[in-house]
Amino acid sequence: MSQSFQKVITLSAALAISQGVVRADDRSDMFVVHEWGTFTSLQGADGRNQEGMHHEEERLPSFVEGRCGDGLAHGDAKCADFMPEPKSALAVTQKMETPVIYFYGGEGQKADVTVQFPNGLITQWFPAAAAFAPKIGQVDAVAQGSMTWQVDIKGQNEALSHQVEDGNSWLYARDVDANALTVGSSTERFIFYRGLAQFDTPFRVESDPSGQLRIINGSHEKVPAAFLLGFDGQKGFVQALGPIAGERSLPGVPTANLERDTYLKTAQRLVQSSLEESGLYKKEALSMVKTWEHSYFLTPGLRVLYVLPRTWTDRLLPLSVKPEPKDTVRTLVGRIEVMTRQEEIQSLTAMTKALDKITRFDMRPWGRLQEAKLRRLLTLSRDEKLTKSLQQALSLLNTCKDFPCR
């Protein structure tokens, strides 16, 4: 049988599974690995990624392991490994969030899985890793991260070892037909990891004072799908941009005229469809949009979501699985929080009026983006008093007990 014909059979079987014609576990002879994940950045009106993206708001289940150790909030500014200074080797411009790796078939096998992160560090993970670098307490740059897991592949119906409370987004990632994986006494549906990074992709969003947006793909590789989304807390909009090659100009930010429920259903449907087109099974695509329902769709603000070309994913996160799967699907979604020129001007004006007491300016609506937005405004300030006030606001972020700060 020719290799090309074998490939057709493999792709046809995967397509049948994704469309629900057969279940993933009905093809026990197919050893398949699927992965989905997302990473988040904030870009100013000039399309440049901003520092200060190491903060997080949603806590992971207590059984998840991390670099910060017990008693510290994993991944936030209080972690001993991460106290970033501007322009330092520890500055963070990308938050790598919730990649999960699924296994289909291969029951009874052992598998070695290694993820390399050349421009970042893996900060949280589950199940336990067999090895990782750099060692805890020996981080001198957000770079050269890696992690290896050695898992036993179990059946699909194997009991999972950790209970998670109702409503926790961890449950959505479990709602697939993948095999269970065991490491020691822990059994889970997937390998999970999360990290911090410094990297740029060729994809950026620029805006000008007139309100025009420019979506720019500076690569020769086409971005398969992109979406512009906005939500004001009550209403929203979603605009499917389709594949992006080169530049795409938009006359302005659309009006948020869809009621919350209509907007949410529309956005979920469009994004889920693009994830399935990337090769994810239907349940995987659904689990991804449900996991990120709040952050993607219901967090106030303007953002662009885009599906990375596979080659970008493989460069950012080289993956090795042994034994080698018959097929590997990796879908990474970039999430750009957009700070438009209008928002920058409005924020600078409001902060200028609050010079006598910076806490009068309520930064809570910015959520975990507070530091990144303040750092962007610092680059724009031409007033000495305003610059000092912005620096004062930044210092508050490392002293407040709760996040986001007031």
Side-chain angles (χ1 to χ4, degrees), residues 307-320:
V307 178
L308 270 69
R310 171 65 183 269
T311 53
W312 296 12
T313 299
D314 289 339
R315 285 196 295 266
L316 289 172
L317 291 168
L319 173 68
S320 170

Side-chain angles (χ1 to χ4, degrees), residues 19-31:
Q19 293 179 339
V21 178
V22 296
R23 289 162 52 87
D25 59 340
D26 288 338
R27 284 303 303 253
S28 58
D29 60 316
M30 272 186 61
F31 179 43

Side-chain angles (χ1 to χ4, degrees), residues 26-39:
D26 288 338
R27 284 303 303 253
S28 58
D29 60 316
M30 272 186 61
F31 179 43
V32 174
V33 170
H34 280 202
E35 179 181 29
W36 59 253
T38 192
F39 61 90

Side-chain angles (χ1 to χ4, degrees), residues 34-40 94-101 115-117 193 199 201 223-225 271 274-275 278-280 288 292 296 305-318 329-335:
H34 280 202
E35 179 181 29
W36 59 253
T38 192
F39 61 90
T40 302
Q94 301 279 2
K95 188 78 163 60
M96 183 68 67
E97 300 181 290
T98 321
V100 292
I101 304 173
V115 174
Q116 298 177 23
F117 204 177
Y193 63 100
F199 65 80
T201 72
V223 166
V271 174
S274 72
L275 297 177
S278 76
L280 292 182
M288 187 174 185
W292 292 107
Y296 276 2
L305 303 178
Y306 66 101
V307 178
L308 270 69
R310 171 65 183 269
T311 53
W312 296 12
T313 299
D314 289 339
R315 285 196 295 266
L316 289 172
L317 291 168
V329 173
R330 308 186 74 196
T331 298
L332 204 59
V333 172
R335 171 185 166 195

Side-chain angles (χ1 to χ4, degrees), residues 36-53:
W36 59 253
T38 192
F39 61 90
T40 302
S41 63
L42 172 83
Q43 292 186 359
D46 59 355
R48 295 182 180 178
N49 291 327
Q50 302 301 304
E51 298 176 7
M53 292 301 296

Side-chain angles (χ1 to χ4, degrees), residues 307-357:
V307 178
L308 270 69
R310 171 65 183 269
T311 53
W312 296 12
T313 299
D314 289 339
R315 285 196 295 266
L316 289 172
L317 291 168
L319 173 68
S320 170
V321 179
K322 297 179 180 179
E324 186 175 350
K326 291 185 177 180
D327 188 29
T328 300
V329 173
R330 308 186 74 196
T331 298
L332 204 59
V333 172
R335 171 185 166 195
I336 300 173
E337 294 293 318
V338 180
M339 196 171 189
T340 64
R341 185 59 183 145
Q342 295 95 316
E343 181 184 357
E344 292 173 350
I345 293 171
Q346 291 168 2
S347 297
L348 286 171
T349 301
M351 283 194 157
T352 300
K353 294 179 180 178
L355 284 178
D356 58 329
K357 191 175 182 183

